Amino acid sequence: MAITVVGSVAYDSIETPAGRRERCLGGAATYFSLSASFFTDVRVIAVVGEDFGPEQEAVLTRRKIDTRGIERAAGKSFFWEGSYMENLNEAKTHKTDLNVFASFQPKIPDAYRDSEFLFLANIDPVLQRRVREAMPGVKLVAGDTMNYWIKDHRPALLEVLKGLDILLINDTETRMLAGNSNLVQAARKVLTFGPRMLIVKHGEYGSTLFHKSIPQGQISETFRAPAFPLEEVVDPTGAGDSFAGGFFGYLASQPELTPDAFRRAMFYGGVMGSFTVECFGTDRLQQLSRAEIDHRFQLFRELTHLD
Amino acid sequence: MAITVVGSVAYDSIETPAGRRERCLGGAATYFSLSASFFTDVRVIAVVGEDFGPEQEAVLTRRKIDTRGIERAAGKSFFWEGSYMENLNEAKTHKTDLNVFASFQPKIPDAYRDSEFLFLANIDPVLQRRVREAMPGVKLVAGDTMNYWIKDHRPALLEVLKGLDILLINDTETRMLAGNSNLVQAARKVLTFGPRMLIVKHGEYGSTLFHKSIPQGQISETFRAPAFPLEEVVDPTGAGDSFAGGFFGYLASQPELTPDAFRRAMFYGGVMGSFTVECFGTDRLQQLSRAEIDHRFQLFRELTHLD
């Protein structure tokens, strides 16, 4: 089944202990799409500026990603500059130029309307909601957000959450959204806001799936997937979006959304995140093969398997 | 097989968001012993002061722990006061009174000499080494340490590491000991210091077992066990020592030290840590049953099981 994703397609300048890269292709929708494209058809809704050329578009189209929903606007593409010099788990933002993104009004191509899966990447919740409402027929909706929207755009974000099946955020965002420092209590609270599943990403420690049906004091419907301990992390940018792409892409490829399919999807999410951080930007995702993905999935499984 | 453990038996005054407790029985050897006692025979080497009475001793002897190696000295027992008000993952130490521990000279009762397993809990590495050398016939030796010894007593600690089969420390300690912020690289470095296995405890995120034989760039011999997401953490004190007790106790109960036994031992470690934090001090360990332990082991397994 096809996924439509709305989010940013951007340029990133990134500094990490492994080096520095200027203006590499990035943005949540880019990482998500590339990652999900190994599992299913992906259609992107985004806006780019005049600096987005055929070379950048080919990164997506080579992976058969539908780019008809990427609007070209006068001006420059969204630009982000950040570094991870002290802590590979947390980016320090040096510059954010919204550019054409400041006036982004998502338009949904007719060819996208039969998408059965919808992913609302981390953008203004007002836009997330608009896209959600414009695609009422989708079967499964997942979304991401960040501290900025949680803190300063809470009412709009809460409206989005009502329309989500699955929310994917990290530990800090979960605690912030719930106003509770205990992760299980915070997860339970977030699940009262609308989504029936919450996936909390723990970075190098894996991820946890919480279900709405989780009874007080029980964890029987909780699932935890490990992350892959990596010898070298070159650039953490996009790991979370790659996780989301692997997770949602795998789900979209499944004939039935069984509990086991969700568990495997969590593993695939971790696998895709682990590839992304091996190189700068989307380099690793661009070179990846499905065979490598499935091989690493097996390593993941062995990593935590108990007879 | 019996385990001998050397470490602190102490009094702790603890403050957490759940409340405050004055002078509850604590110390690494206490938590370790109580935890391991659910799996195998445990013998303690420690020193206590005149404030350690029959009531405290009964906490150990009720669990059939051999206390003949607990020396009574003139003065007061080791005392620690700490809080976890801002962060349940890290204690803030307010007071440490070594008291009788300052002049502790471990003495090994003859009845302990046939122990096949030895655990060197977190104490001065000079004492750890002395006990290790006094028990050359043990089959498996594991140990713990902390930032203080890593920073200020490195040469003595490195001597201890040479005599260890398994080192159990947390993420921060691993990175500090290796002088490397990448966990896999740090683990590899620590394994060059002597131990053939390193278990890194990640707190609420579980633990990872690294083998000495891990080839460059490979993780095939790495194992990651999850932790249990808990609705309420009352008091994190002793979680790491309880992990060690569950891990080492389970191993000592096994007829053969197979890779699978090590994997299950990691799960049991996490299980025991998860019980300890549910109440103040050793309260939960004192009330625990083997049936509860095995039930939670099954929950742990389900938590990460992939068909």
Side-chain angles (χ1 to χ4, degrees), chain B residues 83-99:
Chain B
S83 66
Y84 305 82
M85 296 311 281
E86 277 146 43
N87 182 353
L88 277 167
N89 292 313
E90 206 178 319
K92 195 168 163 185
T93 293
H94 301 294
K95 203 172 184 185
T96 305
D97 293 336
L98 285 178
N99 297 328

Side-chain angles (χ1 to χ4, degrees), chain A residues 48-61:
Chain A
V48 293
E50 292 147 337
D51 49 3
F52 184 86
E55 198 189 321
Q56 284 76 36
E57 185 161 13
V59 170
L60 300 172
T61 53

Side-chain angles (χ1 to χ4, degrees), chain B:
Chain B
M1 284 177 281
I3 300 176
T4 284
V5 51
V6 58
S8 57
V9 171
Y11 287 100
D12 295 335
S13 287
I14 303 160
E15 191 171 6
T16 82
R20 187 176 167 89
R21 281 290 177 89
E22 303 297 337
R23 292 183 62 77
C24 43
L25 183 64
T30 305
Y31 285 102
F32 178 93
S33 301
L34 287 171
S35 177
S37 73
F38 289 93
F39 303 94
T40 196
D41 292 336
V42 185
R43 300 151 172 184
V44 190
I45 298 172
V47 63
V48 292
E50 293 147 336
D51 49 2
F52 184 86
E55 198 189 321
Q56 284 76 37
E57 185 160 13
V59 170
L60 301 172
T61 53
R62 267 199 299 271
R63 295 275 337 134
K64 304 203 188 315
I65 294 163
D66 195 330
T67 57
R68 285 176 288 179
I70 300 183
E71 182 192 339
R72 267 73 174 171
K76 287 180 126 184
S77 300
F78 181 70
F79 172 76
W80 177 79
E81 185 178 337
S83 66
Y84 305 82
M85 296 311 281
E86 277 146 43
N87 182 353
L88 277 167
N89 292 313
E90 206 178 319
K92 195 168 163 185
T93 293
H94 301 294
K95 203 172 184 185
T96 305
D97 293 336
L98 285 178
N99 297 328
V100 296
F101 223 80
S103 52
F104 179 36
Q105 298 296 337
K107 292 167 201 72
I108 298 155
D110 284 340
Y112 287 18
R113 296 208 174 261
D114 62 351
S115 302
E116 288 179 280
F117 280 58
L118 174 63
F119 189 76
L120 308 171
N122 169 32
I123 50 170
D124 186 335
V126 170
L127 302 184
Q128 289 181 313
R129 186 183 174 192
R130 207 170 295 160
V131 174
R132 172 69 187 94
E133 286 176 352
M135 297 185 75
V138 292
K139 186 174 161 184
L140 202 69
V141 188
D144 187 10
T145 190
M146 68 183 290
N147 49 5
Y148 173 69
W149 310 115
I150 295 170
K151 265 169 52 189
D152 298 337
H153 293 74
R154 191 176 176 88
L157 178 61
L158 290 177
E159 283 304 313
V160 172
L161 296 184
K162 287 182 193 167
L164 284 190
D165 295 298
I166 309 171
L167 176 66
L168 293 100
I169 49 180
N170 69 27
D171 288 73
T172 311
E173 291 156 356
T174 304
R175 294 185 166 111
M176 190 186 285
L177 183 53
N180 189 319
S181 66
N182 177 285
L183 191 67
V184 183
Q185 291 172 21
R188 192 187 305 287
K189 176 86 177 176
V190 167
L191 289 169
T192 67
F193 297 154
R196 57 193 173 89
M197 287 184 204
L198 167 68
I199 292 175
V200 184
K201 296 170 287 178
H202 312 306
E204 60 178 320
Y205 298 118
S207 56
T208 306
L209 171 68
F210 295 96
H211 281 254
K212 193 163 210 156
S213 57
I214 177 176
Q216 188 80 29
Q218 292 294 315
I219 62 115
S220 50
E221 293 203 51
T222 302
F223 179 64
R224 185 162 272 193
F228 196 81
L230 288 170
E231 186 88 22
E232 193 181 21
V233 173
V234 169
D235 172 16
T237 312
D241 300 311
S242 303
F243 178 99
F247 171 80
F248 214 48
Y250 179 77
L251 277 186
S253 76
Q254 293 302 291
E256 258 195 288
L257 298 180
T258 61
D260 279 344
F262 277 97
R263 289 178 167 231
R264 287 192 302 269
M266 297 273 287
F267 270 66
Y268 276 110
V271 164
M272 298 309 289
S274 80
F275 279 119
T276 291
V277 304
E278 288 181 356
C279 299
F280 272 101
T282 58
D283 285 4
R284 189 69 181 93
L285 290 180
Q286 290 187 49
Q287 299 151 3
L288 201 56
S289 73
R290 181 63 196 255
E292 287 177 296
I293 294 169
D294 288 329
H295 175 68
R296 189 163 291 184
F297 178 88
Q298 286 307 325
L299 286 182
F300 252 78
R301 176 199 281 273
E302 284 161 27
L303 184 69
T304 50
H305 185 73
L306 206 61
D307 266 328

Side-chain angles (χ1 to χ4, degrees), chain A:
Chain A
M1 282 176 281
I3 299 176
T4 286
V5 51
V6 58
S8 58
V9 171
Y11 287 99
D12 295 334
S13 287
I14 303 160
E15 191 171 7
T16 82
R20 189 177 165 89
R21 281 291 177 89
E22 303 297 337
R23 293 182 62 77
C24 43
L25 183 63
T30 306
Y31 284 102
F32 179 92
S33 300
L34 287 170
S35 176
S37 72
F38 290 92
F39 304 93
T40 196
D41 292 336
V42 186
R43 300 150 172 185
V44 190
I45 299 172
V47 63
V48 293
E50 292 147 337
D51 49 3
F52 184 86
E55 198 189 321
Q56 284 76 36
E57 185 161 13
V59 170
L60 300 172
T61 53
R62 268 198 300 270
R63 294 276 337 134
K64 305 206 188 313
I65 294 163
D66 195 329
T67 57
R68 284 175 290 179
I70 301 184
E71 182 193 339
R72 267 72 174 173
K76 286 179 127 184
S77 299
F78 182 68
F79 172 76
W80 177 78
E81 186 178 339
S83 67
Y84 305 80
M85 296 312 281
E86 277 146 46
N87 182 354
L88 278 168
N89 292 313
E90 206 178 320
K92 195 170 161 182
T93 293
H94 300 295
K95 204 174 183 184
T96 304
D97 294 336
L98 286 178
N99 297 327
V100 297
F101 223 79
S103 52
F104 180 36
Q105 297 296 336
K107 293 168 201 72
I108 299 155
D110 283 340
Y112 286 18
R113 295 207 173 262
D114 63 351
S115 303
E116 286 179 281
F117 280 57
L118 174 62
F119 189 76
L120 308 171
N122 169 30
I123 50 168
D124 186 334
V126 170
L127 302 185
Q128 289 182 313
R129 186 181 173 193
R130 206 169 294 159
V131 173
R132 172 69 185 94
E133 286 176 351
M135 295 184 76
V138 292
K139 185 175 162 184
L140 202 70
V141 189
D144 187 9
T145 191
M146 69 183 291
N147 49 5
Y148 173 69
W149 308 115
I150 296 170
K151 266 167 53 189
D152 299 337
H153 294 72
R154 191 174 176 89
L157 178 60
L158 290 177
E159 283 303 313
V160 172
L161 296 184
K162 288 182 192 167
L164 284 191
D165 295 298
I166 309 171
L167 176 66
L168 294 99
I169 49 180
N170 69 26
D171 288 71
T172 310
E173 290 156 356
T174 305
R175 295 185 165 111
M176 189 185 287
L177 183 53
N180 189 320
S181 66
N182 177 284
L183 191 66
V184 182
Q185 291 173 20
R188 193 189 303 287
K189 175 86 176 175
V190 168
L191 289 169
T192 67
F193 297 154
R196 57 191 172 90
M197 289 183 203
L198 167 68
I199 292 174
V200 184
K201 297 170 286 178
H202 313 304
E204 62 179 316
Y205 298 118
S207 55
T208 305
L209 171 67
F210 295 96
H211 281 254
K212 193 162 211 157
S213 58
I214 178 177
Q216 188 81 28
Q218 293 293 316
I219 61 116
S220 50
E221 293 203 51
T222 302
F223 181 64
R224 186 164 272 191
F228 195 80
L230 288 168
E231 187 87 25
E232 193 181 22
V233 173
V234 170
D235 172 16
T237 311
D241 300 311
S242 303
F243 178 99
F247 171 80
F248 214 49
Y250 179 77
L251 276 186
S253 76
Q254 293 303 291
E256 257 195 288
L257 298 181
T258 61
D260 279 344
F262 277 96
R263 291 179 165 228
R264 287 193 301 269
M266 296 274 286
F267 271 66
Y268 276 110
V271 163
M272 298 309 290
S274 81
F275 279 119
T276 291
V277 304
E278 287 181 359
C279 299
F280 273 101
T282 58
D283 286 3
R284 189 68 181 93
L285 290 180
Q286 291 187 49
Q287 299 150 3
L288 200 58
S289 74
R290 180 63 195 252
E292 287 178 294
I293 293 169
D294 288 328
H295 175 68
R296 188 162 290 185
F297 179 87
Q298 286 307 325
L299 286 182
F300 252 77
R301 176 199 280 274
E302 284 160 28
L303 183 70
T304 51
H305 186 72
L306 205 62
D307 266 330

